[in-house]
Amino acid sequence: MKRMIALKHESNPLGNPVKVLHLEDSDADHLLVKRALAGSQLHFSIARADDKQSLLASLMGQEFDIVLMDYRLPGFTAMDAWAELSKLSATPPCVIVSGAIGEAAAVAAIQSGITDYLHKDNLKELARVILRALKLHQSEKERQRTADALQESELRISELARHLQSSLEQERAAISREIHDEIGGALAAMKLDVAWMKRHSESPEILERVSAMQQMVGQALTATQRIMQNTRPAILDQGLAASVQWLTEAHSKRVGRRVLLNCRLENETALNDGARLTAYRVVQESLTNISKYAPEADVLIDIADGGDGLTVEVSDNGPGFEMTRLKKTAGFGLKGLSERAKNIGGWLDVSSTPGRGTSITLTLPLQHHLINPTTPKNP
Amino acid sequence: MIQVVLCDDHAMIRRGIRDTLVDSGGIEVTGEAGSYPELKETLKSAACEVLVLDLNLPGRSGLEVLAAVKESHPHVRTLVVSMFAEDQYAIRCLRAGASGYLNKAGDPADLAKAVRTIHSGRKYVTPEVSEMLVNQLATPSEETLHSRLSERELQTLIKIASGKKLSDIAEELMLSPKTVSVYRARLLEKLALSNNAELTVYAIRNALV
C-alpha cells in the first residue's frame, strides 16, 4: 500500500523499489541521505560504497537504478567514478549529492553526462531529484532505442534496395539471354529459310507473300536486337571502356552533339561486375537525362582509376538547374544512382549551376570494396 | 569448291546457312557441329578452309573457341556470326583473330559474299564495322604528365598549389571532400609526387599557377 501512495505524487518509472547506490565516505552524510529518503514517499533500497574499490565491487555484484555520489572522496572525485561507470554496458543515471562544488564543476559534470547535482542542504528534494533523474534516463533510453530502430530500419531498406537492384540486373540478364536463345535463334533461322523460299519459288503469288514475310522477320529481328540491347547490352561483357564508348557513340548519333570520352582506365580487371555495372548505369542515366533536358549540350565523360578510386564524371554545358530542385521531386533517377553507388561503397556528387551546366561524378574506392565485395550479414 | 564447316547450336540455322552457301555455288559444306566439343571432333576429319562460327553458344565463350581454333588449325579462316549487332562484338572478334563478322539480322546473301572474301585471304567487314574501325583510329597522342589529367584533377592541382584547403576546394568544385581527396591521391600517383608541397612545386615549374 505504501507504494501505491508513493505513486500518487511522483510515479517511479521502474515500478519496483529504486535500488540506490550511494558513494560517500562520510558515515554521517550517508545517514542523512538514508534518512531523507526514508522520510520521503519513495520506495527504495540503498547500498553504500566508500571508496573506488568498493564502488567497483558493488557495480560488479549487482545492478543499480541510480548512483548518488559525493563530489570529493579520498583519492578520487565523482568525475573519476563517472568515468568508471560510463564503461558499463548499462550505465545507471548519476546524481552528485555534495556540498558546494562551484558552478564550473557542476556544469562540467552535467556536460560529461551526469544527470543532476543536488546540494547537501537540500536533501528534502532528494526523492524528487531521483525520480526526475530516473525519468530522464528512461526517456533517454527510449530515444536511444528509437534511434537504433531507425538505423536498423534504414540499414534494412538499403539492403533491400541493394537486393532489388541486383535482382533487377540479374533478371535483365536472364531475360536478355532468353530472348537471345529462344526468339533470336528462331527468327534468324526463319530469315534464312524465307530467303531460301524466295530463291526456290517461281509462283508470283508465293513470292509476293515471301517478300512480305522477309520484311516482317527482318523487323522482328531488329526489334529483338534492340530489346536485348536495352535490357542488358552484350557489350557490358567487354568491359567498362568498351561499353561506355558504345553509349557515347549512340548518344552523339541520337542527339547530333559532340561527346568527348576521356577514358583513362589503367586496371580494368580490378573492377568487379557491380562496379562496372554501376559506372555504366551512371553514364547511361546521365546521358538519358542530358538528351531529355539538355539535348543541345556538349558532353564530357571522364573515367579514371588512379589514386585508389574509380571516378566517372559526366558533365555537360547545358542549361543546368537550381540545386534546391534536387531535394524536391526532380532527380529521382539521380537518387536511384546515388543509392546504387552507396550500395557498393561509393558515392555520387551532383553539381549544377543554372546557365553553366551539370556535372555528375561517381566515385568508388578501389581498395577492398571492389576486389572483395562483402555483403553485410543480416543481424 | 570452298570447303566450309558450320558451328551453331540451332539446327535450323545450320540448315539455312548451308542452303544459302550451297545455293550460291562454289561452296561445299564439309561438316557441321552443334557445340564447341563437336566442332573439335568435326575439325579432326572434315576438310575446312572457312569456319562459320556462332559466337554465343552455351558453354565456353566464343572468343575463347576462336583462339583455340586459331591455335589448332592456323590455316582455317573464321567468319563469326552472331545475334548481336556489329557495334557490340565485331571489333573484338576481329582482334581475336576472326576474318569477318556478320550480324544474323543482316542480309543472308552477305553470307556467301563473306565466305568468298575470307577464302580469298581478305577480311570481310560490313560498312558499319569499317566505320567503327576508322573511328578507333582517330585518337590523339601528345603527352606531358599533366595532359593526362582531367579538368577536375587539373583544377584540384591548381587549387592545392595555391594553398587552398581540401574542404574549400571541395566547395569551390561542388564536390564532396572525399572525392577531392581521391583526386589528390591520383595527382600524387600520376605525377609521382608525395605531398602538397611537391604538388605546388610541380604546378609552379609547369606554369600552371
Side-chain angles (χ1 to χ4, degrees), chain A residues 21-318:
Chain A
L21 176 62
H22 189 199
L23 180 60
E24 175 62 78
D25 60 324
S26 144
D27 292 342
D29 283 348
H30 178 58
L31 210 62
L32 281 174
V33 161
K34 241 160 105 170
R35 238 180 243 160
L37 287 179
S40 74
Q41 288 172 325
L42 186 75
H43 195 35
F44 74 101
S45 67
I46 191 160
R48 177 182 170 200
D50 55 3
D51 58 15
K52 203 167 177 176
Q53 279 73 35
S54 62
L55 170 72
L56 294 179
S58 309
L59 291 171
M60 293 288 207
Q62 65 171 113
E63 280 179 20
F64 290 95
D65 299 320
I66 188 157
V67 181
L68 307 178
M69 304 193 285
D70 187 14
Y71 189 73
R72 264 178 221 88
L73 296 107
F76 74 120
T77 67
M79 298 307 281
D80 302 324
W82 175 244
E84 292 297 329
L85 279 161
S86 309
K87 291 181 199 153
L88 297 176
S89 59
T91 305
C94 285
V95 174
I96 292 176
V97 182
S98 180
I101 63 172
E103 200 179 328
V107 169
I110 303 290
Q111 272 174 352
S112 70
I114 287 174
T115 310
D116 212 344
Y117 160 70
L118 182 70
H119 196 283
K120 267 179 191 170
D121 294 347
N122 245 342
L123 283 183
K124 58 178 190 308
E125 295 289 321
L126 185 57
R128 207 179 50 77
V129 168
I130 287 177
L131 284 172
R132 197 174 63 191
L134 288 175
K135 267 194 206 153
L136 263 174
H137 186 65
Q138 190 82 359
S139 60
E140 172 56 25
K141 257 165 56 185
E142 201 58 47
R143 198 196 56 77
Q144 192 56 49
R145 252 202 299 276
T146 317
D148 288 350
L150 182 64
Q151 199 186 7
E152 166 91 349
S153 120
E154 271 172 0
L155 197 71
R156 275 176 190 281
I157 287 175
S158 97
E159 264 167 28
L160 180 66
R162 181 185 2 227
H163 174 73
L164 284 177
Q165 201 62 259
S166 81
S167 323
L168 182 72
E169 292 294 353
Q170 275 169 22
E171 192 82 345
R172 281 168 164 262
I175 290 171
S176 183
R177 202 165 43 238
E178 278 298 90
I179 293 175
H180 175 271
D181 295 348
E182 307 293 333
I183 303 178
L187 287 174
M190 274 168 72
K191 183 164 183 142
L192 290 163
D193 276 358
V194 172
W196 182 91
M197 285 161 73
K198 203 173 176 183
R199 291 197 300 274
H200 290 83
S201 171
E202 312 263 292
S203 149
E205 280 149 341
I206 290 183
L207 278 175
E208 192 195 322
R209 280 173 172 69
V210 163
S211 289
M213 271 174 79
Q214 205 168 21
Q215 217 175 0
M216 281 187 293
V217 172
Q219 279 165 6
L221 257 177
T222 316
T224 307
Q225 291 189 333
R226 197 184 56 239
I227 294 168
M228 288 196 301
Q229 238 162 46
N230 290 343
T231 34
R232 188 186 184 281
I235 202 157
L236 268 176
D237 298 330
Q238 294 172 51
L240 185 56
S243 35
V244 169
Q245 168 129 36
W246 176 73
L247 274 178
T248 55
E249 275 162 20
H251 177 84
S252 63
K253 227 176 265 175
R254 195 169 52 236
V255 301
R257 301 299 296 197
R258 203 160 55 102
V259 181
L260 201 62
L261 173 62
N262 192 10
C263 193
R264 302 169 290 144
L265 285 176
E266 272 156 26
N267 188 10
E268 244 213 88
T269 47
L271 304 178
N272 66 20
D273 279 357
R276 220 164 46 208
L277 209 53
T278 305
Y280 177 85
R281 295 289 183 211
V282 165
V283 177
Q284 186 182 37
E285 180 78 24
S286 308
L287 288 176
T288 307
N289 284 342
I290 290 170
S291 16
K292 252 191 260 174
Y293 303 113
E296 302 285 296
D298 290 327
V299 184
L300 175 74
I301 302 177
D302 183 87
I303 301 177
D305 62 354
D308 293 333
L310 170 76
T311 53
V312 177
E313 183 190 341
V314 183
S315 27
D316 65 70
N317 57 2

Side-chain angles (χ1 to χ4, degrees), chain A residues 300-343:
Chain A
L300 175 74
I301 302 177
D302 183 87
I303 301 177
D305 62 354
D308 293 333
L310 170 76
T311 53
V312 177
E313 183 190 341
V314 183
S315 27
D316 65 70
N317 57 2
F321 54 85
E322 293 286 352
M323 290 297 285
T324 45
R325 264 185 59 213
L326 259 193
K327 296 200 175 71
K328 295 175 193 158
T329 47
F332 196 71
L334 287 180
K335 265 178 216 149
L337 288 182
S338 174
E339 200 57 41
R340 287 184 78 129
K342 255 200 293 188
N343 285 344

Side-chain angles (χ1 to χ4, degrees), chain B residues 8-30:
Chain B
D8 195 310
D9 63 334
H10 212 297
M12 294 283 286
I13 293 184
R14 288 204 302 274
R15 193 188 72 187
I17 295 178
R18 185 181 59 223
D19 290 348
T20 309
L21 294 179
V22 171
D23 285 357
S24 77
I27 297 174
E28 68 173 324
V29 173
T30 55

